Amino acid sequence: MPYAIEQRVDPDVSAQQITLSSLESQYFDHLIPAIEDAGTGGKGQQLLQSLAHFSIEREAEIESICSTNRQGFASASSQLLLVSEQSRGLMADIHALSRSTQTSTETLAREKKVLVESRAVRQNIDEANEALRDCLEVLRLANQVYDLLGRKSHYSALRALDELQDVHLLKITKYKIADTIQNSIPDTKKLIADAVMTDLNTWLFRIRETSQLLGEVAFFHVEQRRARHKDRGEKLMSLGNFKLNSAVESVADEDEEFDILDNEILQIDFTPLFECMHIHDALGQREKFKVDYASTRRQQKDLLMPSSITLVDPEGSSLSGLLEGIAGFAIIEKSTMSKARGFRSLADVEELWDSMCQTAIALVSTALPEVTNAELLLKIKGIIALFIQTMTSYDYPVQKLDTFLLALFDKYAELLKRRFSDDFQEIVSTDDYMPMPIHKSDEYDKVVNVSWYTPEKPRQELRFPCILPFSQMYPLCCIDIRNFLNQFYFFSDDHFQHLKVIDDTLKASLDELLCGKVCQSLVDRLSTQYLGQIVQILINLEHFEIACQELEHLLIAARSDASASGAVVLKATEDFRNSKKTAEKRIFELVNSKIDDLIGTAEYDWMASTFETEPSNYMQTLTRYLSNIMNTVLLGLPTEIKELIYFDALSHAATMILSLPLSPDVKCINPNGVAALAQDVHYLTEFVATLNNPILRENLDELRQTVSLMQAENSDEFYDVATRNKKYGRVDAMNGPTLLEKLTSAVHTPAKPDKLTALSSRFGMKT
């Protein structure tokens, strides 16, 4: 451990320093350390001895000096005596002066006493003045508070009041005026609070009055954003896949700065609210102020909502005004939350928002039944969609509004179906059901563009006027179908989250319209007896089936929901296909009915005594009828349908002709009767041969083989299975014996051999 080295002081040196000190301060500076050292070290005696020794040395030195200067000393003594005498004279003067001074001092003392007393009075006066000044300052500050209130400087007034209470009143607490002012401070604070609340209520009233304008500006700004986003989407397709208010859209539009609360149209200053908050914070009434403010905003919300609105005004001002007011009110609430954090809770703001949304939905729902126009409803949807997009940008929940759009869409779909149902009904009922004539090329192009129709001939090979296979109702219905599609998808523009609902509803609506209003109406008209009209209906049904198939592909390509997959199958496609079969059956019925009527006029004399050389009148009429309908009425039908109708007609004719000899009324048939029947069958066969269709000719095989069997020399061949399969394979196993029985039981009346032989060779039959 380090230790201190004691510094020792030499007593002789200390004594010399003490005696040589010229100043009193130096004398004590050397004396005090020497005494302290002598006392602590036990060397006091040494110090005294050093001082005595030093004194002896100095006396010896003085004696030495005096002995060497005696004459001078004597002279000095004389002078000293003279000085002494003079000093006594001076002492007498001094005593006299002292007495005079004493007298003056007594006088001065008396005057001083008077002065002291006057100073005490003066001090009291000064203290009184100072107190008065302090009181006046307090009164000035108190008056200043009211002056500031008069100038509506509420926060400055409160700060001045705090300064008055915390600083200046403390200086005059011993005066009664301090208590008076102190007691008035709570009333003054209440006065400040009331004044600032009055200003705040005025501000809130102005805010409520400008809420609709604020909402209108917000709507306008969102419309501009929407237009900019659309332009960007057209220039860059990838941006078109993102919706408004998405992160990508927000980044792309960040260069367009716009302050909704401070722009060239309106400026909203929150200073009154902030001042009121600060004052209530200073008054310790923040929670009470929050409750009062929330209550006031709820009351303003109730005043903002009307008792009813109308949706049928052309400009939509009633609905727009309602939603603009709600938007402005909600924007103020969000701005208040962001500017005054902790003042408005998210729960309170969303409670107001939810209440306003519910009220708005209720008002619109109440007024919705008066809307009977789809375009007006689409405009209403556009206003609500703009409102939703605007409030989404302020992070308000819009699920209830999105759900309400579904109700609007249902109403919209119903109005569209009702309107187009009437249109389809009118088109179907007023159609002439004749092939559509086209007189000009531009008219042809319009029909082809709107219809799902593929012409058989190229455009350049057509000559006008020309005839299209379908009637006028088909392109008119195609136009309505396309308009129906477009107007359905109009609802998905701007904002609609339920895209799959549009696709499903559109499909169901198309099925309902096409099946119920077009297909069923055409089927109902099949009851007519006019074959040409039924044929035209069949042709229209054929084209409607094709249109439905094309429509299915179009619906897949036009899906609103990009995530949807799979085929779209319209029930109408199958309905038109089945209705085609119904129309075909109806044509079969009419043709067969006509055939029945013609064959019903047949007058065969089965026991004729002579041989007819000409075909029967009914057969000539029948073939002429079949030829006429094929070349006129059925000309526009597709080839396969025409062949099917001809096949069925010929099959029916053959069956009916064959039923003539099989009739229970025919008991016997002679060869002349068979020859007459064979002549008609041959005439019919030659007519079918002119059609150049082997399948149609095969349709008469049973009839021809049955007649050949009736003319056979050896009818027993029919009963030989091998021979029958070879020569009479198409003859019914029951009809053959029946006819042979009628033939064999007949009483033969032979004709003239030469004439019978000639007829037999003409028709290729054996006699």
Side-chain angles (χ1 to χ4, degrees), residues 437-440 462-467:
I438 301 295
H439 302 285
K440 298 179 181 179
L462 290 175
R463 296 292 181 269
F464 297 97
C466 66
I467 301 294

Side-chain angles (χ1 to χ4, degrees), residues 606-607 660-670 738-746:
W606 300 109
M607 300 298 294
L660 293 176
L662 288 172
S663 174
D665 296 335
V666 179
K667 304 299 183 180
C668 298
I669 304 175
N670 65 15
T738 300
L739 292 174
L740 290 176
E741 182 180 355
K742 291 183 179 183
L743 186 63
T744 55
S745 62

